[in-house]
Amino acid sequence: MAFGFGQKNVGIDLGTSNTLVFLEGSGIVINEPSFVAKDTATGELMAVGSAAQRMFEKNPPTISVIRPLRKGVISDLDASIGLLKYFLSVAYNNRLGRPTAIIGVPSGVTEVERRAVKQAAISAGVRDAYIVDETIAAAVGAGLPVYDAPGCMVVDLGAGTVDIATISLGKANASRSTTFAGDAMNEAIKDMVLQRYNFRISEGDAQILKEEIGSADVKASKQLGSVTVKGIDLISGLPAQRDVTAEDVALAIASPVSHVLTAIQSTLEESLPELVSDIIDRGITLTGGGANLRYLDRVIADTVHVPVFVAPDPQEAVAKGLGEMLRSSQLQFK
Ligand SMILES: Nc1ncnc2c1ncn2[C@@H]1O[C@H](COP(=O)(O)OP(=O)(O)OP(=O)(O)O)[C@@H](O)[C@H]1O
Ligand SMILES: [Mg+2]
């Protein structure tokens, strides 16, 4: 592989919700929300990452705040280039040479979508970009013996997609990608609050409800209490506050959760029986920010009758895996 000489190479997890940059020899140097703020009139970049996220849903019409990725793929190429350029300049302390990058993408993306990621990275200043399967990177980052013959299984729960794979000898045996992921859960919570409470809340507050009191188990959710959110009362049309219960949040996300359970089952069904037998012994590992959803590990274990583990620092697993791939060069480049 043609890695940059004398230049520290880089692993990039360009996520729908968060972008992480792993700098060779240093580790994860960037972990920021994938947001870009632009001047609406001139298109000029005004802020990137958490600074841009703070403006989200609060911006005046003169500023547009964009999430350049939707459902795991680039939806705004220029904004993606701007985001990568900025994060790379921070990672390299403004001394970006021409590094080689490896970038994880969801398993279900098309060739055109893959090329868009590569193009974005090259336009942002890298010499060459290798695209790898995100689930393999997640499994490596979670410390699974991905390159051995016995099978292992990973479920990477992101904001845009949930990517599932059974893996042996460094390759996916069976895989699934579903968009019933973190963003879909936020939408479901927002809709539920609208219908049940006649109350309009922001996407950001729906996400806070999910992270603070969300759970995959409706019964167990009753003990998680409630959270007060601000929004607009649709009856009076006035700003107000409401207590939203954990049980309502769990009911709202029950449908996306059950889609994830079905996708896990289907992936197991499509896998070689020998690998499934290994997975029954070794268990399923959860990565991605969504792995933090309360009781999700238990609900998956009860449904598919396989032990389930949450990776340490699950949200960093893909970036750590890309870093490990840079180090070991055990790459199957495409
Ligand atoms: N405690 C929690 N409970 C439920 N969801 C959580 C929790 N913490 C984080 N999340 C969710 O994890 C998601 C972000 O995870 P991650 O950073 O892995 O996604 P991403 O890599 O940006 O997305 P994708 O891989 O789909 O492109 C968000 O939807 C966030 O709300
Ligand atoms: Mg991800």
Side-chain angles (χ1 to χ4, degrees):
M1 103 186 75
F3 272 168
F5 182 71
Q7 169 80 50
K8 285 180 181 174
N9 295 306
V10 77
I12 304 170
D13 174 8
L14 181 61
T16 306
S17 169
N18 298 292
T19 297
L20 286 80
V21 176
F22 188 109
L23 186 63
E24 204 175 21
S26 303
I28 295 170
V29 291
I30 303 277
N31 183 352
E32 289 227 28
S34 306
F35 280 85
V36 168
K38 286 198 293 196
D39 183 310
T40 313
T42 64
E44 192 194 336
L45 215 68
M46 300 185 69
V48 178
S50 37
Q53 187 189 30
R54 279 194 288 275
M55 300 180 194
F56 189 54
E57 296 180 325
K58 293 178 185 148
N59 46 299
T62 51
I63 302 173
S64 51
V65 183
I66 299 159
R67 291 176 68 187
L69 282 99
R70 285 278 159 193
K71 302 190 191 305
V73 297
I74 288 179
S75 59
D76 184 325
L77 186 61
D78 283 346
S80 302
I81 295 168
L83 177 127
L84 285 175
K85 230 183 217 166
Y86 176 77
F87 286 149
L88 287 172
S89 78
V90 175
Y92 283 94
N93 228 337
N94 286 320
R95 284 195 294 271
L96 176 66
R98 301 274 286 151
T100 296
I102 52 172
I103 309 177
V105 297
S107 52
V109 309
T110 65
E111 198 45 46
V112 172
E113 290 161 345
R114 256 171 197 273
R115 272 207 299 274
V117 172
K118 194 169 172 142
Q119 188 50 50
I122 289 170
S123 303
V126 308
R127 186 161 64 109
D128 206 353
Y130 293 93
I131 307 298
V132 295
D133 187 337
E134 219 164 56
T135 45
I136 306 282
V140 171
L144 301 180
V146 170
Y147 300 100
D148 294 353
C152 58
M153 182 163 189
V154 70
V155 179
D156 181 50
L157 298 125
T161 58
V162 173
D163 293 281
I164 305 160
T166 55
I167 302 166
S168 161
L169 297 169
K171 284 215 155 61
N173 177 249
S175 64
R176 282 274 164 131
S177 183
T178 156
T179 54
F180 291 100
D183 283 347
M185 290 185 187
N186 299 348
E187 277 294 315
I189 293 167
K190 202 175 148 185
D191 289 350
M192 176 277 294
V193 174
L194 196 65
Q195 276 154 29
R196 211 178 160 84
Y197 294 72
N198 271 315
F199 197 61
R200 192 166 64 236
I201 60 169
S202 68
E203 219 173 290
D205 282 340
Q207 175 153 319
I208 289 170
L209 283 172
K210 176 186 69 179
E211 294 178 4
E212 290 199 355
I213 50 169
S215 92
D217 182 337
V218 176
K219 243 193 207 154
S221 70
K222 289 181 184 147
Q223 69 212 24
L224 296 172
S226 61
V227 159
T228 308
V229 282
K230 298 190 181 95
I232 300 284
D233 182 320
L234 291 186
I235 312 276
S236 67
L238 295 171
Q241 300 194 22
R242 287 280 180 287
D243 289 340
V244 177
T245 69
E247 192 180 2
D248 283 339
V249 175
L251 283 166
I253 62 175
S255 164
V257 167
S258 86
H259 277 96
V260 170
L261 295 173
T262 308
I264 294 172
Q265 266 171 318
S266 310
T267 312
L268 280 166
E269 274 164 27
E270 287 159 18
S271 301
L272 287 171
E274 292 80 359
L275 296 189
V276 174
S277 134
D278 298 333
I279 291 159
I280 291 169
D281 294 337
R282 294 170 159 212
I284 300 172
T285 299
L286 309 184
T287 62
N292 293 311
L293 183 67
R294 274 167 215 83
Y295 312 129
L296 181 64
D297 48 352
R298 202 177 70 197
V299 168
I300 296 172
D302 290 348
T303 309
V304 297
H305 305 295
V306 174
V308 177
F309 308 99
V310 176
D313 302 320
Q315 197 250 339
E316 295 182 348
V318 169
K320 273 199 262 177
L322 294 171
E324 179 58 28
M325 286 169 150
L326 278 176
R327 201 182 62 75
S328 64
S329 300
Q330 281 170 309
L331 286 164
Q332 300 288 320
F333 289 130
K334 289 193 184 142

